[in-house]
Amino acid sequence: MIHIATIKEVAKYANVSVATVSRVINKKGYVQKETQTKVEEAIKALNYRPNNVARSLFKKQSKMIGYIVPDITNPFFPQLVRAVEDVTVAQGYTTFLCNSDDNLEKELMYLNKMAENYIDGVIIVSNHMNESHLANLQIPVVALDRVFHESIPSVTIDNYQEARRAVMHLVENGCEKIAHISGPENIINSQLRKKAYQDVMMALERPVYISEGHYQMKTAQEATFRLLHEQKDIDAIFTGNDVMAVGALKACTKLGINVPKELQIIGFDGIEWTETVSPEITTIAQPIYEMGKKAATMLLNRINGKEEGQDHIVFPTELKIRETTTTH
C-alpha cells in the first residue's frame, strides 16, 4: 500500500511547525530562507503532495474550471475544450469536463457537484439552462455557443445570418432545388439555421425540403436517403452542422451521385472532419479555437475580479469553399 505523506510528517521531518510548512506551500507569510529550504527538502524527500480537497474547503476555491457540454462525441465540442484548456492550464487551473447528454437534470446535477467542490467558475454549452437555474450558483458563469439570458455573459456567432450566407452560396452557384437537413428542434442554433434556410427559399419563391438529422452523421445519412427518394431532382443540400454534412456525403456516395457535379453540399461549424473526407466539404467555419479561448479568458477575468467590457461577444465566421461546391 502506498503511503501518502501528510503535512504533519513534513513539519516533523523539517523540524518546524505545520503553520510554517503551510506558509511555504501557499507562499504566504514570512519564512526565513534557511527554513524555507529545509521545508522544500522535506517536501521533496517525502514526496509530499498538498491535499487539494482540504485546501479547497479552507480557501473556498479549487483552481478548477467546470465545463458542461451536451455531446462530447460531436467533434465541435472537443475542439472548444482544447482552447479552454490551453488558456486555463496556463493560469494554473484544471478543467472539470462534464458531458450532459443534452439533459437538464444532468446539467443541474453537475452544477451541484461543482458547487460542493468549490469550482471557481463554469463554462456552459446548454440548450435548456436559463437564468433561474443559475440563480443560487455563487460563481461566475459564461455561456458558450448559445445564449441563455442577457445577464449571463456569452460567446457566440450570428447563426441566422451565417446560415443565410450558406444557402446563398448554393443559390449563387446556380442550385435550384436546395434541401436542408436540420438539427434537433430544441436547440436554438438549429432553429435559427433552419429559419434562415426557410426565409431564403420563401423569398426566392422556391420549394422547401427539410428532413431532420439530429446533428448526427448516421441520422443525416438516412435523412438524405429520404430526401433524394422523395425528390430526385434536389441539386443541393445545406446541413445544420458538419457532422451531418459528412452523413449527406456518404449517402450521395452510396447512391452513386457525383458531388458536386450532380449535387452540392455545404455544412456548418468548421470542424476538422470537413477536410478529412473526399471530396472535402464546403462549410461555414466558426472560429472554434478563438471562441473557446475568449470564453475561458472572460471567465478567468471574472474569477479574478478583473473588469470586463462587452458581455456578449459575437464572432464572425468564414465561408470555406471546398470541393463539395466547387464545380469547375
Side-chain angles (χ1 to χ4, degrees):
M1 185 174 177
I2 298 173
H3 175 70
I4 301 174
T6 67
I7 192 169
K8 287 183 179 179
E9 289 171 330
V10 172
K12 184 177 179 181
Y13 190 100
N15 196 26
V16 298
S17 69
V18 170
T20 298
V21 176
S22 179
R23 283 197 293 272
V24 172
I25 292 170
N26 295 303
K27 296 181 173 60
K28 288 188 176 181
Y30 174 74
V31 179
Q32 289 184 351
K33 182 65 179 176
E34 182 183 346
T35 303
Q36 181 177 332
T37 301
K38 284 168 59 179
V39 171
E40 288 171 348
E41 288 174 351
I43 288 171
K44 186 175 181 181
L46 297 175
N47 195 28
Y48 172 73
R49 295 289 182 271
N51 185 332
N52 287 329
V53 173
R55 292 175 73 186
S56 296
L57 290 170
F58 177 72
K59 293 184 171 184
K60 301 293 188 291
Q61 64 181 111
S62 62
K63 296 292 283 186
M64 290 189 71
I65 299 296
Y67 192 174
I68 300 176
V69 299
D71 181 10
I72 199 63
T73 64
N74 184 331
F76 176 75
F77 296 114
Q79 286 182 234
L80 282 176
V81 173
R82 174 59 188 272
V84 170
E85 283 195 329
D86 283 352
V87 174
T88 56
V89 168
Q91 297 297 318
Y93 290 80
T94 53
T95 302
F96 179 24
L97 177 62
C98 303
N99 177 64
S100 72
D101 292 318
D102 198 26
N103 182 300
L104 178 60
E105 287 186 9
K106 284 188 73 173
E107 291 172 354
L108 296 177
M109 179 270 291
Y110 283 134
L111 284 177
N112 286 332
K113 292 294 182 184
M114 289 177 189
E116 289 171 7
N117 288 278
Y118 298 107
I119 292 291
D120 297 328
V122 59
I123 294 172
I124 305 176
V125 184
S126 171
N127 304 308
H128 311 287
M129 202 77 69
N130 60 47
E131 187 190 25
S132 66
H133 297 123
L134 305 171
N136 297 320
L137 195 66
Q138 303 299 314
I139 58 173
V141 175
V142 172
L144 181 55
D145 188 47
R146 45 210 78 167
V147 178
F148 308 155
H149 190 271
E150 61 181 18
S151 66
I152 307 297
S154 65
V155 178
T156 59
I157 61 162
D158 187 333
N159 284 277
Y160 178 81
Q161 290 299 335
E162 303 303 347
R164 283 184 62 93
R165 187 180 180 192
V167 180
M168 287 307 301
H169 174 65
L170 297 173
V171 171
E172 289 161 4
N173 273 11
C175 300
E176 294 287 340
K177 292 201 170 181
I178 303 170
H180 177 52
I181 299 179
S182 65
E185 285 295 328
N186 67 301
I187 297 178
I188 185 63
N189 293 0
S190 172
Q191 296 169 14
L192 291 168
R193 295 169 195 179
K194 177 180 175 181
K195 186 175 190 312
Y197 160 77
Q198 292 172 314
D199 288 352
V200 172
M201 292 297 97
M202 287 189 284
L204 295 173
E205 297 182 343
R206 294 186 184 181
V208 170
Y209 306 112
I210 299 174
S211 187
E212 191 168 328
H214 299 285
Y215 277 172
Q216 297 173 357
M217 182 173 66
K218 186 175 181 181
T219 311
Q221 183 176 320
E222 294 166 354
T224 304
F225 285 142
R226 286 195 302 273
L227 283 169
L228 296 176
H229 175 73
E230 295 168 3
Q231 300 291 335
K232 292 181 171 47
D233 55 351
I234 286 173
D235 59 3
I237 297 175
F238 162 50
T239 63
N241 75 353
D242 286 335
V243 171
M244 295 193 296
V246 174
L249 181 60
K250 285 173 66 71
C252 289
T253 301
K254 290 184 177 182
L255 292 171
I257 295 171
N258 185 295
V259 177
K261 289 183 179 178
E262 296 176 81
L263 186 148
Q264 298 186 38
I265 297 173
I266 186 168
F268 200 110
D269 278 344
I271 64 172
E272 293 169 353
W273 282 15
T274 54
E275 296 181 274
T276 61
V277 294
S278 182
E280 293 183 7
I281 297 171
T282 296
T283 185
I284 296 291
Q286 301 191 54
I288 302 174
Y289 189 87
E290 291 303 316
M291 290 171 68
K293 184 178 176 182
K294 181 62 179 178
T297 302
M298 288 170 67
L299 185 64
L300 290 181
N301 283 342
R302 283 165 170 78
I303 289 170
N304 295 312
K306 296 180 181 177
E307 287 189 11
E308 277 283 341
Q310 195 174 350
D311 278 337
H312 299 283
I313 308 298
V314 181
F315 274 87
T317 66
E318 179 184 355
L319 170 60
K320 292 195 173 181
I321 301 173
R322 300 198 182 105
E323 297 167 340
T324 58
T325 63
T326 304
T327 56
H328 301 296

